[in-house]
Amino acid sequence: MQTPADGSAHTSSDSAAHAPAYGTAPAAPLAPVPAAPQAPAADAASAPATGADQHPYPSHWEADVVLRDGGTARIRPITAADADRLVSFFEQVSDESKYYRFFAPYPRLSAKDVHRFTHHDHVDRVGLAATIGGEFIATVRYDRIDAQGRPASAPADEAEVAFLVQDAHQGRGVASALLEHIAAVARERGIRRFAAEVLPANTKMVKVFTDAGYQQQRSFEDGVVRLELDLEPTDRSVAVQHAREQRAEARSVQRLLAPGSVAVIGVGRAEDSVGRGVLRNLLRAGFTGRVHAVNRAFADRATTEGVEGVPAHRSVRDIAGPVDLAVVTVPAEHVPEAVAECGEHGVQGLVVLSAGYAESGPEGLERQRELVRQARSYGMRLIGPNAFGVINTASAVRLNASLAPELAASGRIGLFTQSGAIGIALLSRLHRRGAGLSSFVSAGNRADVSGNDVLQYWYDDPDTDVALMYLESIGNPRKFTRLARRAAAAKPLVVVQGARHSGIAPTGHAGAATRLPHTTVSALLRQAGVIRVDTVTELVDAGLLLAGQPLPAGPRVAILGNSESLGLLTYDACVAEGLRPLPPRDLTTAATPEDFRAALGAALAADTCDAAVVTVIPSLGESSREGQGETLATALRAAAAVCPTKPVAVVHVELGELAEALSAAASTKPGSAAARPADRPPAAPPTADAPPPHARIPAYPAAERAVRALAEAVTYAQWRHDIADPGKVPECDDIDEQGAAGLIADLLAKGGDPHGLTLDPDDARDLLGRYGIAVHAVLPAPDADAAADAALRLGYPVALKTTAPHLRHRPDLGGVRLDLADEEQLRRAYRELTHALGRPAELRPVVQAMVARGVDTVVRAGHDPAAGAVLSFGLAGAASELLGDTAHRLIPVTDRDARTLVGSIRTAPLLFGWRGAAPVDTPALEELLQRVSRLVDDHPEVVTVSLEPVVVAQDGLSVLSGTVRLAPPPARDDLGPRTLPAY
């Protein structure tokens, strides 16, 4: 299956001497499979199966993948129509690779070989190909075998697997990607193990198997290495997959942001043309690579005359050297021709500024889909269409392939936007406040490259310390949350989301729909360490503080300044944001810069302070104001440098000179000599939480803005501290996981509805009980006599309540009677209930034994198609529902997650002894939350659980009602092989 670089492994069934008689075994029955988008015509080969192909073409196996070097390839099933492609592919494979594949010289494929390798039943015999430009670059196949190694059908659950990778594409991670996909296909078809035989000298192929992370066994016999892999995903295999995904996607973005050569396609003769503007921006920024201008309208002589001093060409094909990045500015109807020329020339990536795509309607959406398909067919990644462009300020690159007329200052902030208009606004605001950027990506319709890809790049980009993102939609929330959590553990990630209340994604944005409200999504992002802000102003405010200051060790804030009133406003803002401000220190309006320096130095040196806010108003008198800003900025920097581990922010009123001095005083680029006073030698490298001593001090025109940014930094610092000990998912000895699985399978089989079923109360109680969740029994009371009989069985005192949908969980409507001590009270309550609210058949009354008094709460869990499984908690009652006071965590939850979930709602004081009340048993509540989490995590068929109410008393709790819904488990795109979003 692999050559010395990446290419070939042998199975006994593929040798000429051991070729099996394919097509003789009956195929296993197939379950219905979901439909998937059609492949491009040039690469589909997806005609209906006939002859030896015993089952329909499985289009849902088609996928685009990012390879190790950042390029893309398409993986799809091999069909009978691929005979010529297979022969051409085999002819380009070296003799050495063929030897590793077949264990013998194998110069060419016979007609019988071609037939065998292109005819599959897609169940017991499967072949996949990786393609670029419609041509094969690698293949993989499996053949199901029995215990004796003979061809077999289900229930046999082992298969032999073999790969072959074209020499020119070895080392790109093609075999690793194919292994992920063929393993997923095998699991779908009931195959649990792979076997492969590899020559000992083929160490690279052995490494492909051993590095995959699956459980495996290795043996050596008859001069070959036999490997057996258990295909069940493991923690290690998933971690390996995620690590490969990160490296590949980061590399794909790096190729777009650090090209060695750029071609601008659509450079017109008119000075005001978009292409001409982009070309000028590239040159003005001092791009360090080669630049070419391309326009079909150029005369032949333009190649030598050039445009703006750079070579001009009629086509990308005419460029003699390689082109790494093409910036496309031609009208949408001419883009396909430009993309084809780029693909044929070997261009690595595209930035498409052209409009007229999904943002323009259904016809544009189809044009956008075709653009993505075309770009990927050539192995290219794409930013856009309708993009604003990209910027990389690194001195070795200096790329401004955007509509921004100037290259942003170099700095430590990475910026991603989906909106060009917002991108312009953010670039302008950051520039005005002296902040520098490491990179900027405006993805437009983000048809291919998305915020997830850029986040992968920033994760290990040494030039980016803080990531700022403006998102209008999140195409893959589950993946974004996973990536954000990993990135936030290394560097701050600040996100503002537009269109969050309209529920409508901007036209042109395609993504998985989520049923979760914005508040829930925000809570889940915060759980992942994302700093969620509401406006672009807050985005910039938080970014400036995080890029220039260390993280605070706690919430204690020292306040000092020359205005008592401004200090009090700052104090109030700190209290409102949950910080712990110290009493403000008023330096009076006569304070000098030296007074500020001494006061700030003393505040930062105190053990009672974690951060400081300096408030400044202009001094009286023209003579005192002259040069005040620069002098004061110098004093504040000197004081902050003495204690570089505590953050400082400045609030100024009508003192723009100070803000300018502070922003100009230091660069956010590390090691800037201009930022370091002449008498201070270079400092030692900073720690992870402390910037270099020459870091800038952010200035804000309002106390509320400075304090809000500081509060976000405090929350983020606490999250960073907490993830060092994330807690654990506890084991519970009384959980019957296997029994629950059997019960679920029986209930789904009996239900017969492919969309699932809501369990009746007895079945729900049985299932919940297998996870140690006891639901108190309720007995129906269709009449007063039945109610009396039920009460006798349960024992007095009892509760009488209605279960009609319009009255359920609404005690405020009078549908509940509590503490009925005897039959007389019960019958009276029954008469009053039916008289006031309606007939028993409408009310559906039930009787339930009374439980200990406590706080009524609600516990829910469910699967969202985009975000995954979510656990929710809040207090019961209309007030909490109106306030939206519900907290959320992604499943599975740890013991720490459960504890913070209980304490994170605004009404949590009611659980801990508010106004002298006795605290309730929150440890029992936390245990219940973890049991519900385990149930949903262990059994994805449990799509919703609702426990309402859960009465939490001083000692223990009581679950009074439980509702469970089962359905076939939703697809888990995060557990499958690496793929790009389908288009």
Side-chain angles (χ1 to χ4, degrees), residues 800-817 833-834 836-845 948:
L800 176 68
K801 52 188 179 182
T802 63
T803 60
H806 66 288
L807 298 172
R808 190 174 179 83
H809 306 312
R810 291 296 306 275
D812 54 306
L813 298 181
V816 179
R817 300 290 190 273
L833 206 65
T834 54
L837 300 176
R839 295 175 299 172
E842 299 171 350
L843 302 182
R844 306 176 192 175
E948 181 180 5

Short mmCIF file of all heavy atoms in Angstrom, two decimals, residues 800-817 833-834 836-845 948:
data_model
loop_
_atom_site.label_atom_id
_atom_site.label_comp_id
_atom_site.label_asym_id
_atom_site.label_seq_id
_atom_site.Cartn_x
_atom_site.Cartn_y
_atom_site.Cartn_z
N LEU A 800 -53.11 16.49 44.09
CA LEU A 800 -53.99 16.28 42.95
C LEU A 800 -53.64 17.34 41.91
O LEU A 800 -53.64 18.54 42.22
CB LEU A 800 -55.46 16.40 43.38
CG LEU A 800 -56.51 16.29 42.26
CD1 LEU A 800 -56.55 14.88 41.70
CD2 LEU A 800 -57.89 16.71 42.78
N LYS A 801 -53.33 16.90 40.69
CA LYS A 801 -52.94 17.88 39.68
C LYS A 801 -53.41 17.45 38.31
O LYS A 801 -53.61 16.26 38.04
CB LYS A 801 -51.42 18.11 39.69
CG LYS A 801 -50.58 16.85 39.58
CD LYS A 801 -49.10 17.17 39.81
CE LYS A 801 -48.25 15.92 39.74
NZ LYS A 801 -46.81 16.21 40.00
N THR A 802 -53.57 18.43 37.45
CA THR A 802 -53.97 18.16 36.08
C THR A 802 -52.73 17.93 35.22
O THR A 802 -51.64 18.44 35.51
CB THR A 802 -54.76 19.35 35.50
OG1 THR A 802 -53.90 20.49 35.46
CG2 THR A 802 -55.98 19.65 36.36
N THR A 803 -52.91 17.14 34.15
CA THR A 803 -51.80 16.89 33.21
C THR A 803 -52.15 17.31 31.79
O THR A 803 -51.44 16.95 30.85
CB THR A 803 -51.40 15.41 33.22
OG1 THR A 803 -52.54 14.62 32.84
CG2 THR A 803 -50.91 14.99 34.60
N ALA A 804 -53.25 18.04 31.62
CA ALA A 804 -53.60 18.53 30.29
C ALA A 804 -52.47 19.43 29.78
O ALA A 804 -51.86 20.18 30.56
CB ALA A 804 -54.91 19.30 30.34
N PRO A 805 -52.16 19.37 28.48
CA PRO A 805 -51.02 20.15 27.96
C PRO A 805 -51.09 21.63 28.29
O PRO A 805 -50.06 22.24 28.59
CB PRO A 805 -51.11 19.89 26.45
CG PRO A 805 -51.78 18.57 26.32
CD PRO A 805 -52.78 18.51 27.44
N HIS A 806 -52.30 22.23 28.27
CA HIS A 806 -52.38 23.67 28.50
C HIS A 806 -52.26 24.03 29.98
O HIS A 806 -52.12 25.21 30.32
CB HIS A 806 -53.69 24.23 27.93
CG HIS A 806 -54.92 23.74 28.61
ND1 HIS A 806 -55.38 22.45 28.46
CD2 HIS A 806 -55.80 24.36 29.45
CE1 HIS A 806 -56.49 22.28 29.17
NE2 HIS A 806 -56.77 23.42 29.77
N LEU A 807 -52.31 23.02 30.86
CA LEU A 807 -52.19 23.28 32.30
C LEU A 807 -50.94 22.66 32.91
O LEU A 807 -50.60 22.96 34.06
CB LEU A 807 -53.42 22.73 33.03
CG LEU A 807 -54.78 23.36 32.65
CD1 LEU A 807 -55.90 22.59 33.31
CD2 LEU A 807 -54.81 24.82 33.06
N ARG A 808 -50.26 21.82 32.17
CA ARG A 808 -49.12 21.09 32.71
C ARG A 808 -48.01 22.05 33.11
O ARG A 808 -47.64 22.95 32.36
CB ARG A 808 -48.61 20.09 31.66
CG ARG A 808 -47.58 19.11 32.19
CD ARG A 808 -47.26 18.09 31.09
NE ARG A 808 -46.26 17.13 31.52
CZ ARG A 808 -46.52 16.05 32.24
NH1 ARG A 808 -47.76 15.82 32.62
NH2 ARG A 808 -45.55 15.22 32.58
N HIS A 809 -47.46 21.85 34.29
CA HIS A 809 -46.38 22.68 34.83
C HIS A 809 -46.79 24.15 34.93
O HIS A 809 -45.94 25.04 34.82
CB HIS A 809 -45.11 22.56 33.96
CG HIS A 809 -44.66 21.15 33.77
ND1 HIS A 809 -44.52 20.25 34.81
CD2 HIS A 809 -44.32 20.45 32.64
CE1 HIS A 809 -44.12 19.08 34.34
NE2 HIS A 809 -44.00 19.17 33.04
N ARG A 810 -48.08 24.39 35.15
CA ARG A 810 -48.56 25.77 35.34
C ARG A 810 -49.38 25.86 36.62
O ARG A 810 -50.60 26.01 36.60
CB ARG A 810 -49.40 26.20 34.13
CG ARG A 810 -48.63 26.40 32.85
CD ARG A 810 -47.62 27.53 32.95
NE ARG A 810 -48.22 28.78 33.39
CZ ARG A 810 -48.80 29.65 32.57
NH1 ARG A 810 -48.86 29.39 31.28
NH2 ARG A 810 -49.32 30.76 33.05
N PRO A 811 -48.73 25.74 37.77
CA PRO A 811 -49.48 25.83 39.03
C PRO A 811 -50.16 27.18 39.21
O PRO A 811 -51.13 27.29 39.96
CB PRO A 811 -48.40 25.59 40.10
CG PRO A 811 -47.11 25.94 39.43
CD PRO A 811 -47.29 25.56 38.00
N ASP A 812 -49.66 28.20 38.51
CA ASP A 812 -50.27 29.52 38.64
C ASP A 812 -51.67 29.57 38.05
O ASP A 812 -52.45 30.49 38.35
CB ASP A 812 -49.39 30.57 37.94
CG ASP A 812 -49.10 30.21 36.49
OD1 ASP A 812 -48.61 29.08 36.25
OD2 ASP A 812 -49.35 31.05 35.61
N LEU A 813 -52.04 28.58 37.25
CA LEU A 813 -53.39 28.53 36.67
C LEU A 813 -54.35 27.75 37.54
O LEU A 813 -55.52 27.57 37.17
CB LEU A 813 -53.34 27.92 35.27
CG LEU A 813 -52.52 28.70 34.22
CD1 LEU A 813 -52.57 28.00 32.88
CD2 LEU A 813 -53.02 30.13 34.10
N GLY A 814 -53.90 27.27 38.68
CA GLY A 814 -54.80 26.61 39.63
C GLY A 814 -55.04 25.16 39.38
O GLY A 814 -56.02 24.60 39.91
N GLY A 815 -54.18 24.50 38.63
CA GLY A 815 -54.39 23.09 38.32
C GLY A 815 -53.73 22.13 39.28
O GLY A 815 -53.62 20.94 38.98
N VAL A 816 -53.30 22.61 40.46
CA VAL A 816 -52.61 21.76 41.43
C VAL A 816 -53.21 22.01 42.82
O VAL A 816 -53.44 23.16 43.21
CB VAL A 816 -51.10 22.06 41.46
CG1 VAL A 816 -50.41 21.19 42.51
CG2 VAL A 816 -50.48 21.84 40.10
N ARG A 817 -53.46 20.92 43.54
CA ARG A 817 -53.89 20.99 44.95
C ARG A 817 -52.92 20.14 45.76
O ARG A 817 -52.72 18.96 45.46
CB ARG A 817 -55.31 20.46 45.13
CG ARG A 817 -56.36 21.21 44.32
CD ARG A 817 -56.58 22.63 44.88
NE ARG A 817 -57.73 23.28 44.27
CZ ARG A 817 -57.69 23.96 43.15
NH1 ARG A 817 -56.54 24.07 42.50
NH2 ARG A 817 -58.79 24.54 42.67
N LEU A 833 -61.67 21.47 41.43
CA LEU A 833 -60.82 21.48 40.22
C LEU A 833 -61.67 21.33 38.96
O LEU A 833 -61.51 22.11 37.99
CB LEU A 833 -59.79 20.35 40.32
CG LEU A 833 -58.47 20.52 39.57
CD1 LEU A 833 -57.67 21.68 40.13
CD2 LEU A 833 -57.64 19.24 39.69
N THR A 834 -62.54 20.34 38.97
CA THR A 834 -63.35 20.11 37.77
C THR A 834 -64.38 21.21 37.56
O THR A 834 -64.72 21.53 36.41
CB THR A 834 -64.05 18.75 37.87
OG1 THR A 834 -64.80 18.67 39.10
CG2 THR A 834 -63.03 17.62 37.83
N ALA A 836 -63.92 24.38 38.29
CA ALA A 836 -63.25 25.61 37.86
C ALA A 836 -62.60 25.49 36.49
O ALA A 836 -62.57 26.45 35.72
CB ALA A 836 -62.20 26.01 38.90
N LEU A 837 -62.09 24.30 36.15
CA LEU A 837 -61.25 24.19 34.96
C LEU A 837 -61.82 23.32 33.84
O LEU A 837 -61.35 23.40 32.71
CB LEU A 837 -59.86 23.67 35.34
CG LEU A 837 -59.07 24.53 36.34
CD1 LEU A 837 -57.77 23.85 36.71
CD2 LEU A 837 -58.81 25.91 35.76
N GLY A 838 -62.79 22.47 34.13
CA GLY A 838 -63.36 21.66 33.07
C GLY A 838 -63.57 20.22 33.47
O GLY A 838 -63.30 19.81 34.61
N ARG A 839 -64.03 19.41 32.53
CA ARG A 839 -64.34 18.02 32.79
C ARG A 839 -63.06 17.21 32.99
O ARG A 839 -62.00 17.57 32.45
CB ARG A 839 -65.14 17.44 31.62
CG ARG A 839 -66.52 18.09 31.44
CD ARG A 839 -67.19 17.53 30.20
NE ARG A 839 -66.40 17.83 29.01
CZ ARG A 839 -66.66 17.34 27.80
NH1 ARG A 839 -67.68 16.51 27.63
NH2 ARG A 839 -65.89 17.67 26.77
N PRO A 840 -63.16 16.10 33.74
CA PRO A 840 -61.96 15.27 33.97
C PRO A 840 -61.29 14.80 32.70
O PRO A 840 -60.06 14.72 32.64
CB PRO A 840 -62.52 14.10 34.79
CG PRO A 840 -63.72 14.66 35.48
CD PRO A 840 -64.32 15.64 34.52
N ALA A 841 -62.10 14.48 31.66
CA ALA A 841 -61.50 14.01 30.41
C ALA A 841 -60.60 15.07 29.79
O ALA A 841 -59.62 14.75 29.10
CB ALA A 841 -62.59 13.60 29.43
N GLU A 842 -60.92 16.34 30.03
CA GLU A 842 -60.10 17.43 29.50
C GLU A 842 -58.88 17.71 30.39
O GLU A 842 -57.82 18.06 29.91
CB GLU A 842 -60.93 18.71 29.38
CG GLU A 842 -62.13 18.58 28.44
CD GLU A 842 -63.04 19.80 28.53
OE1 GLU A 842 -62.83 20.62 29.45
OE2 GLU A 842 -63.94 19.92 27.69
N LEU A 843 -59.08 17.55 31.70
CA LEU A 843 -58.02 17.91 32.64
C LEU A 843 -56.99 16.79 32.84
O LEU A 843 -55.85 17.07 33.21
CB LEU A 843 -58.64 18.27 33.99
CG LEU A 843 -59.66 19.40 33.99
CD1 LEU A 843 -60.14 19.67 35.41
CD2 LEU A 843 -59.05 20.67 33.40
N ARG A 844 -57.42 15.54 32.67
CA ARG A 844 -56.55 14.38 32.90
C ARG A 844 -55.91 14.42 34.29
O ARG A 844 -54.67 14.47 34.44
CB ARG A 844 -55.45 14.31 31.84
CG ARG A 844 -55.95 14.33 30.41
CD ARG A 844 -54.79 14.36 29.44
NE ARG A 844 -55.21 14.65 28.08
CZ ARG A 844 -54.39 14.84 27.05
NH1 ARG A 844 -53.07 14.74 27.24
NH2 ARG A 844 -54.87 15.11 25.85
N PRO A 845 -56.71 14.41 35.35
CA PRO A 845 -56.15 14.52 36.71
C PRO A 845 -55.34 13.28 37.08
O PRO A 845 -55.61 12.16 36.64
CB PRO A 845 -57.40 14.65 37.60
CG PRO A 845 -58.53 14.94 36.66
CD PRO A 845 -58.17 14.32 35.36
N GLU A 948 -39.36 17.61 35.16
CA GLU A 948 -40.00 18.84 35.64
C GLU A 948 -41.30 18.52 36.36
O GLU A 948 -42.18 17.88 35.76
CB GLU A 948 -40.29 19.78 34.46
CG GLU A 948 -40.93 21.08 34.87
CD GLU A 948 -41.21 22.01 33.69
OE1 GLU A 948 -40.98 21.60 32.54
OE2 GLU A 948 -41.69 23.14 33.94
#
